[in-house]
PDB file of all heavy atoms in Angstrom:
ATOM      1  N   TRP A 154     -10.847  17.113  14.023  1.00 97.00           N
ATOM      2  CA  TRP A 154     -10.666  15.965  13.124  1.00 97.00           C
ATOM      3  C   TRP A 154     -11.926  15.738  12.289  1.00 97.00           C
ATOM      4  O   TRP A 154     -11.859  15.524  11.074  1.00 97.00           O
ATOM      5  CB  TRP A 154     -10.348  14.742  13.973  1.00 97.00           C
ATOM      6  CG  TRP A 154      -9.927  13.518  13.219  1.00 97.00           C
ATOM      7  CD1 TRP A 154      -9.983  13.314  11.865  1.00 97.00           C
ATOM      8  CD2 TRP A 154      -9.386  12.308  13.772  1.00 97.00           C
ATOM      9  NE1 TRP A 154      -9.519  12.052  11.546  1.00 97.00           N
ATOM     10  CE2 TRP A 154      -9.143  11.425  12.692  1.00 97.00           C
ATOM     11  CE3 TRP A 154      -9.102  11.894  15.073  1.00 97.00           C
ATOM     12  CZ2 TRP A 154      -8.623  10.149  12.889  1.00 97.00           C
ATOM     13  CZ3 TRP A 154      -8.578  10.626  15.264  1.00 97.00           C
ATOM     14  CH2 TRP A 154      -8.343   9.775  14.190  1.00 97.00           C
ATOM     15  N   VAL A 196     -19.782  13.987  20.945  1.00 96.00           N
ATOM     16  CA  VAL A 196     -18.867  14.426  19.884  1.00 96.00           C
ATOM     17  C   VAL A 196     -18.093  13.236  19.323  1.00 96.00           C
ATOM     18  O   VAL A 196     -17.792  13.183  18.118  1.00 96.00           O
ATOM     19  CB  VAL A 196     -17.909  15.519  20.420  1.00 96.00           C
ATOM     20  CG1 VAL A 196     -16.984  14.980  21.491  1.00 96.00           C
ATOM     21  CG2 VAL A 196     -17.112  16.142  19.281  1.00 96.00           C
ATOM     22  N   LEU A 197     -17.812  12.237  20.154  1.00 96.00           N
ATOM     23  CA  LEU A 197     -17.097  11.055  19.678  1.00 96.00           C
ATOM     24  C   LEU A 197     -18.010  10.169  18.835  1.00 96.00           C
ATOM     25  O   LEU A 197     -17.576   9.596  17.828  1.00 96.00           O
ATOM     26  CB  LEU A 197     -16.546  10.268  20.868  1.00 96.00           C
ATOM     27  CG  LEU A 197     -15.580  11.035  21.770  1.00 96.00           C
ATOM     28  CD1 LEU A 197     -15.131  10.162  22.930  1.00 96.00           C
ATOM     29  CD2 LEU A 197     -14.374  11.539  20.994  1.00 96.00           C
ATOM     30  N   ALA A 198     -19.289  10.053  19.241  1.00 96.00           N
ATOM     31  CA  ALA A 198     -20.250   9.291  18.438  1.00 96.00           C
ATOM     32  C   ALA A 198     -20.494   9.990  17.103  1.00 96.00           C
ATOM     33  O   ALA A 198     -20.613   9.333  16.059  1.00 96.00           O
ATOM     34  CB  ALA A 198     -21.563   9.130  19.198  1.00 96.00           C
ATOM     35  N   MET A 199     -20.560  11.306  17.117  1.00 97.00           N
ATOM     36  CA  MET A 199     -20.733  12.080  15.884  1.00 97.00           C
ATOM     37  C   MET A 199     -19.539  11.879  14.958  1.00 97.00           C
ATOM     38  O   MET A 199     -19.704  11.649  13.754  1.00 97.00           O
ATOM     39  CB  MET A 199     -20.906  13.560  16.247  1.00 97.00           C
ATOM     40  CG  MET A 199     -21.036  14.504  15.077  1.00 97.00           C
ATOM     41  SD  MET A 199     -21.439  16.192  15.620  1.00 97.00           S
ATOM     42  CE  MET A 199     -20.033  16.573  16.684  1.00 97.00           C
ATOM     43  N   TRP A 200     -18.351  11.952  15.520  1.00 97.00           N
ATOM     44  CA  TRP A 200     -17.112  11.726  14.753  1.00 97.00           C
ATOM     45  C   TRP A 200     -17.084  10.312  14.184  1.00 97.00           C
ATOM     46  O   TRP A 200     -16.777  10.107  13.002  1.00 97.00           O
ATOM     47  CB  TRP A 200     -15.920  11.958  15.680  1.00 97.00           C
ATOM     48  CG  TRP A 200     -14.604  11.470  15.175  1.00 97.00           C
ATOM     49  CD1 TRP A 200     -13.767  12.092  14.305  1.00 97.00           C
ATOM     50  CD2 TRP A 200     -13.962  10.229  15.535  1.00 97.00           C
ATOM     51  NE1 TRP A 200     -12.643  11.321  14.098  1.00 97.00           N
ATOM     52  CE2 TRP A 200     -12.736  10.184  14.837  1.00 97.00           C
ATOM     53  CE3 TRP A 200     -14.301   9.171  16.374  1.00 97.00           C
ATOM     54  CZ2 TRP A 200     -11.857   9.107  14.959  1.00 97.00           C
ATOM     55  CZ3 TRP A 200     -13.426   8.113  16.487  1.00 97.00           C
ATOM     56  CH2 TRP A 200     -12.221   8.089  15.798  1.00 97.00           C
ATOM     57  N   GLY A 201     -17.427   9.324  15.010  1.00 96.00           N
ATOM     58  CA  GLY A 201     -17.361   7.945  14.560  1.00 96.00           C
ATOM     59  C   GLY A 201     -18.421   7.608  13.530  1.00 96.00           C
ATOM     60  O   GLY A 201     -18.138   6.916  12.541  1.00 96.00           O
ATOM     61  N   LEU A 202     -19.653   8.089  13.724  1.00 97.00           N
ATOM     62  CA  LEU A 202     -20.743   7.752  12.810  1.00 97.00           C
ATOM     63  C   LEU A 202     -20.510   8.355  11.429  1.00 97.00           C
ATOM     64  O   LEU A 202     -20.721   7.686  10.407  1.00 97.00           O
ATOM     65  CB  LEU A 202     -22.067   8.252  13.386  1.00 97.00           C
ATOM     66  CG  LEU A 202     -23.324   7.969  12.553  1.00 97.00           C
ATOM     67  CD1 LEU A 202     -23.479   6.478  12.280  1.00 97.00           C
ATOM     68  CD2 LEU A 202     -24.555   8.523  13.251  1.00 97.00           C
ATOM     69  N   TYR A 203     -20.074   9.606  11.385  1.00 97.00           N
ATOM     70  CA  TYR A 203     -19.805  10.241  10.083  1.00 97.00           C
ATOM     71  C   TYR A 203     -18.677   9.507   9.355  1.00 97.00           C
ATOM     72  O   TYR A 203     -18.778   9.203   8.161  1.00 97.00           O
ATOM     73  CB  TYR A 203     -19.442  11.708  10.285  1.00 97.00           C
ATOM     74  CG  TYR A 203     -19.359  12.499   9.005  1.00 97.00           C
ATOM     75  CD1 TYR A 203     -20.506  13.017   8.418  1.00 97.00           C
ATOM     76  CD2 TYR A 203     -18.134  12.758   8.396  1.00 97.00           C
ATOM     77  CE1 TYR A 203     -20.441  13.759   7.241  1.00 97.00           C
ATOM     78  CE2 TYR A 203     -18.057  13.487   7.223  1.00 97.00           C
ATOM     79  CZ  TYR A 203     -19.214  13.989   6.653  1.00 97.00           C
ATOM     80  OH  TYR A 203     -19.137  14.715   5.481  1.00 97.00           O
ATOM     81  N   GLY A 204     -17.611   9.202  10.089  1.00 96.00           N
ATOM     82  CA  GLY A 204     -16.512   8.469   9.469  1.00 96.00           C
ATOM     83  C   GLY A 204     -16.905   7.073   9.049  1.00 96.00           C
ATOM     84  O   GLY A 204     -16.475   6.592   7.994  1.00 96.00           O
TER      85      GLY A 204
END
Side-chain angles (χ1 to χ4, degrees):
W154 189 350
V196 65
L197 301 179
M199 177 173 59
W200 166 82
L202 180 57
Y203 189 83

